[in-house]
């Protein structure tokens, strides 16, 4: 791959849709009533407690722009900060700036819209994939329909503990908890059903032991059923909520070969037969005894999609180790964070070496006492990657006490 040949969201979408929009918005059931993509009556999702409005309307949409490309317009009502776009232009010159249209513009014509899920407030013919189909394929309970090994399910009539309780339709690990006994399970379900008023389903699974790793594999399934490989991340979790990712580019072929025939092909065939095309992420649990289990299926753009699209580009410059941190709190303003990232990239931070690596800010928003950001760090070694991140993390807000 030449430095100016990159895979983008636009180039993936254009495989199937000559004209389209991408809407980087989460459908939410528990957000405020004025949220544009509220699914309070149909296509309900368990996102309780709900993400902040800043995340829903700004930070999550923004994290998709750096590698979106220009061929497929992005629908969002807030333009990225000029410091952020200048940051992308300088450090990601091979990626064309995203074309942005307002949501109202995008919903007012007949051009199909690629979404992260089924949207209650959007007409069926505007969805690139039938919304009923898309919603059903994102249910946890559909996974056993695929001809692959998945964690054993537990029937409510023959409970055993500990067990894993998963809300059937949920975002970012919400609604997934371990129940240690019947009383604990009843307390969890009371919280979900009574307090959160969740009326849809849930599934119970056996808790797998001796888990070695849970990599995330991402690929694109075309209308014709062909697979375009995107990459693999090894995830980090806060409880069951996915929050970070590591990529070692030299290890990508090995990780892909471990699952391609036994998991990727059956998942691709299942989705294709059910009328889905688009990006897909699967998570596979590896256990010490050699077991492999499909534990999650997400037919949509993923939280680590931008990171994976950047990884092969950065690998060309020798930066084959990378880390993504989502929703990371920094004790400085967004402007200061971007300036610090630029400074690290310009001058280097390890023994004056300007080729130490790259820090890319994907999305950032000012919050109380600092800012919250999605940040990727690329380097030649894990130790340099950590040092770059520590350098970025050391920045203190000039107005903060004890700075």
């Amino acid at each position: 791959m030449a430095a100016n040949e990159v895979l983008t969201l636009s180039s993936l979408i254009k495989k199937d849709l000559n004209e389209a929009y991408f809407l980087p918005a989460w459908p939410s059931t528990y957000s405020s009533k004025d949220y544009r993509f509220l699914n309070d009556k149909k296509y309900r999702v368990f996102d309780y407690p709900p993400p902040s409005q800043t995340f829903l309307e700004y930070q999550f949409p923004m994290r998709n722009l750096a590698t979106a490309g220009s061929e497929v317009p992005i629908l969002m009502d807030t333009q990225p900060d000029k410091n952020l776009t200048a940051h992308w232009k300088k450090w990601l010159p091979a990626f064309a700036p995203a074309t942005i249209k307002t949501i109202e513009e995008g919903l007012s014509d007949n051009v199909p819209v690629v979404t992260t899920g089924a949207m209650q407030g959007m007409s069926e013919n505007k969805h690139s994939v039938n919304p009923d189909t898309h919603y059903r394929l994102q249910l946890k309970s559909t996974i056993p329909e695929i001809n692959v090994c998945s964690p054993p399910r537990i029937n409510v009539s023959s409970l055993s503990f500990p067990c894993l309780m998963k809300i059937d339709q949920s975002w970012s690990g919400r609604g997934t908890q371990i129940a240690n006994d019947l009383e604990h399970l009843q307390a969890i379900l009371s919280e979900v059903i009574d307090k959160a008023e969740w009326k849809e389903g849930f599934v119970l699974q056996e808790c797998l032991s001796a888990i070695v790793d849970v990599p995330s594999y991402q690929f694109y399934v075309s209308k014709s059923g062909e697979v375009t490989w995107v990459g693999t991340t090894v995830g980090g979790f806060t409880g069951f909520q996915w929050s970070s990712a590591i990529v070692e580019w030299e290890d990508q072929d090995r990780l892909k070969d471990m699952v391609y025939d036994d998991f990727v092909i059956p998942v691709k065939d299942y989705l294709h037969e059910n009328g889905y095309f688009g990006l897909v992420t699967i998570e596979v649990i590896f256990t010490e005894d050699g077991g492999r289990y499909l534990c999650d299926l997400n037919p949509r753009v993923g939280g680590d999609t931008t990171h994976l699209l950047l990884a092969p580009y950065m690998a060309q410059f020798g930066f084959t180790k990378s880390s993504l941190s989502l929703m990371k709190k920094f004790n400085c303003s967004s402007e200061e964070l971007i300036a610090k990232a630029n400074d690290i990239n310009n001058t280097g931070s390890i023994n004056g070496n300007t080729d130490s690596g790259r820090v890319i800010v994907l999305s950032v928003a000012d919050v109380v006492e600092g800012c919250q950001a999605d940040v990727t760090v690329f380097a030649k070694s894990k130790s340099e990657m950590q040092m770059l991140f520590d350098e970025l993390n050391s920045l203190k807000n000039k107005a903060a006490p004890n700075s």
Side-chain angles (χ1 to χ4, degrees):
M1 178 191 291
N4 61 348
E5 295 176 356
V6 292
L7 192 64
T8 66
L9 277 173
S10 288
S11 61
L12 289 169
I13 293 171
K14 293 283 280 188
K15 289 179 179 293
D16 294 306
L17 300 170
N18 288 328
E19 191 175 19
Y21 302 129
F22 172 52
L23 175 65
W26 288 111
S28 174
T29 292
Y30 294 94
S31 185
S32 64
K33 294 299 180 183
D34 61 351
Y35 179 55
R36 183 157 197 159
F37 300 105
L38 188 70
N39 283 9
D40 60 342
K41 298 179 178 64
K42 191 177 183 182
Y43 308 130
R44 283 167 52 89
V45 298
F46 191 84
D47 62 335
Y48 180 88
S52 68
Q53 292 297 107
T54 297
F55 173 81
L56 289 172
E57 297 177 353
Y58 182 82
Q59 192 159 3
F60 173 75
M62 204 66 63
R63 76 166 58 142
N64 297 275
L65 294 188
T67 58
S70 59
E71 297 173 281
V72 174
I74 309 300
L75 302 183
M76 53 189 297
D77 289 333
T78 306
Q79 294 285 331
D81 180 271
K82 63 181 181 180
N83 293 317
L84 195 55
T85 54
H87 173 71
W88 296 334
K89 183 177 181 180
K90 181 173 179 61
W91 303 112
L92 305 174
F95 292 86
T99 302
I100 300 175
K101 287 193 173 187
T102 67
I103 294 172
E104 197 61 44
E105 285 180 285
L107 299 186
S108 63
D109 56 28
N110 295 319
V111 176
V113 178
V114 177
T115 66
T116 59
M119 301 292 190
Q120 167 188 301
M122 203 169 84
S123 65
E124 178 181 319
N125 63 2
K126 282 293 289 182
H127 289 79
S128 61
V129 173
N130 178 280
D132 291 345
T133 298
H134 203 176
Y135 186 78
R136 187 179 71 81
L137 293 175
Q138 290 182 338
L139 295 173
K140 310 301 181 188
S141 57
T142 64
I143 291 177
E145 296 179 8
I146 308 170
N147 187 29
V148 296
C149 187
S150 60
R153 296 294 170 93
I154 297 175
N155 194 294
V156 292
S157 63
S158 55
L159 291 173
S160 62
F161 297 95
C163 70
L164 194 63
M165 193 280 290
K166 288 185 174 182
I167 299 295
D168 207 5
Q169 179 70 270
S170 63
W171 292 120
S172 300
R174 286 174 167 81
T176 298
Q177 297 186 59
I178 292 178
N180 298 310
D181 51 41
L182 180 59
E183 185 178 3
H184 190 197
L185 177 60
Q186 289 171 334
I188 291 171
L189 292 177
S190 176
E191 179 82 6
V192 168
I193 295 169
D194 299 332
K195 187 172 181 179
E197 299 181 347
W198 181 253
K199 299 179 176 62
E200 283 69 18
F202 61 90
V203 297
L204 299 175
Q205 295 178 353
E206 291 183 13
C207 284
L208 298 175
S209 58
I211 293 175
V212 176
D213 229 333
V214 190
S216 295
Y217 300 88
Q218 195 162 151
F219 50 96
Y220 183 93
V221 178
S222 69
K223 280 185 176 181
S224 63
E226 296 178 350
V227 170
T228 300
W229 191 253
V230 177
T232 305
T233 60
V234 178
F237 295 85
T238 303
F240 291 103
Q241 187 167 350
W242 190 92
S243 58
S244 63
I246 298 289
V247 171
E248 295 188 65
W249 198 250
E250 304 97 330
D251 204 27
Q252 289 289 297
D253 289 342
R254 181 188 70 85
L255 289 167
K256 176 183 176 181
D257 291 344
M258 289 172 68
V259 299
Y260 196 85
D261 291 336
D262 295 335
F263 289 90
V264 173
I265 295 301
V267 168
K268 178 269 292 186
D269 289 342
Y270 173 79
L271 293 173
H272 178 59
E273 289 164 5
N274 280 273
Y276 178 81
F277 64 94
L279 276 161
V280 184
T281 300
I282 62 172
E283 293 179 6
V284 178
I285 292 175
F286 290 80
T287 59
E288 288 181 356
D289 61 2
R292 297 177 301 162
Y293 306 86
L294 177 67
C295 63
D296 208 359
L297 166 64
N298 293 306
R300 56 174 170 80
V301 171
D304 55 350
T305 298
T306 300
H307 183 199
L308 281 170
L309 293 175
L310 287 175
Y313 173 71
M314 290 295 184
Q316 297 173 96
F317 309 113
F319 306 134
T320 58
K321 309 288 196 267
S322 60
S323 173
L324 164 68
S325 291
L326 297 179
M327 307 292 285
K328 171 70 178 175
K329 182 72 180 291
F330 292 91
N331 188 25
C332 63
S333 69
S334 59
E335 183 177 354
E336 289 169 326
L337 182 71
I338 296 168
K340 180 64 173 181
N342 289 335
D343 182 59
I344 291 173
N345 294 346
N346 275 317
T347 64
S349 64
I350 303 173
N351 300 325
N353 181 6
T354 56
D355 290 326
S356 300
R358 296 288 181 270
V359 175
I360 305 297
V361 181
L362 301 180
S363 180
V364 61
D366 289 308
V367 294
V368 177
E369 297 182 354
C371 67
Q372 194 165 263
D374 301 327
V375 176
T376 58
V377 176
F378 297 86
K380 295 178 180 178
S381 68
K382 284 186 175 181
S383 60
E384 288 181 322
M385 181 179 72
Q386 186 60 53
M387 291 174 70
L388 286 168
F389 189 79
D390 290 344
E391 179 76 10
L392 184 68
N393 200 41
S394 68
L395 182 61
K396 301 294 184 182
N397 193 312
K398 296 173 183 177
N402 304 318
S403 60

